[in-house]
Amino acid sequence: MSNTAITLVRELFECALLRPELDEARLAQLVHPEYRQQADGRSLDYADFVKHLRHLKQACGRVVLEILSWAEQGERVFTRHLVAADKWDGGQVRMLVIAEFRVRDGRVVACDELTHMLAGTGEDRDLGSRH
């Protein structure tokens, strides 16, 4: 595969969401140390993002991601994707996510996303940014 921005974002999805264990060494190769994320009005830096992913791994078991649409323009990738997760407590969550990723120096440097919960409980509404 060529090293395009969408390839990098897909690798990030695989590393961060789809694998049962968080590979922090691989994550550091994919995400820039200056990473910034805006998720539903909450700001996360790289350390917060890692905490967020650790929290997701503790809260959720199986995670499925379906990219509904994407567009790549240079170092920017826009996605509209569905995330469904089975929580360890037996609950289920389903989110629609619209995101813009920015890539620099071969790593994701920023993400600006909006999430809309399609299924789950009120306490899971912030699952896209909780850490």
Side-chain angles (χ1 to χ4, degrees):
M1 275 186 155
S2 63
N3 193 15
T4 64
I6 188 64
T7 301
L8 183 60
V9 169
R10 287 179 185 211
E11 287 181 33
L12 179 58
F13 283 149
E14 179 70 30
C15 178
L17 296 176
L18 302 178
R19 291 191 182 139
E21 301 287 328
L22 180 59
D23 182 347
E24 292 188 34
R26 180 66 180 138
L27 186 69
Q29 294 172 343
L30 298 170
V31 179
H32 200 282
E34 296 175 11
Y35 180 79
R36 294 289 181 264
Q37 179 171 323
Q38 291 290 321
D40 300 322
R42 293 185 74 185
S43 297
L44 288 80
D45 62 13
Y46 182 82
D48 292 334
F49 181 60
V50 173
K51 288 178 197 172
H52 165 64
L53 295 177
R54 287 180 189 147
H55 175 78
L56 287 179
K57 299 298 181 188
Q58 290 175 348
C60 300
R62 187 177 76 92
V63 176
V64 176
L65 177 122
E66 178 185 0
I67 297 177
L68 302 172
S69 58
W70 62 273
E72 180 179 8
Q73 183 178 22
E75 294 186 332
R76 293 180 186 265
V77 174
F78 296 86
T79 64
R80 186 170 152 266
H81 57 275
L82 289 171
V83 179
D86 295 334
K87 294 176 55 185
W88 293 115
D89 67 7
Q92 295 182 326
V93 179
R94 194 161 179 253
M95 301 265 192
L96 173 65
V97 182
I98 299 170
E100 175 189 1
F101 297 88
R102 287 182 297 286
V103 173
R104 185 175 76 219
D105 302 328
R107 293 196 254 177
V108 177
V109 72
C111 176
D112 188 1
E113 71 178 37
L114 295 173
T115 59
H116 175 66
M117 190 167 68
L118 301 171
T121 64
E123 69 184 26
D124 293 327
R125 215 166 276 292
D126 70 342
L127 201 57
S129 60
R130 187 183 315 155
H131 59 280

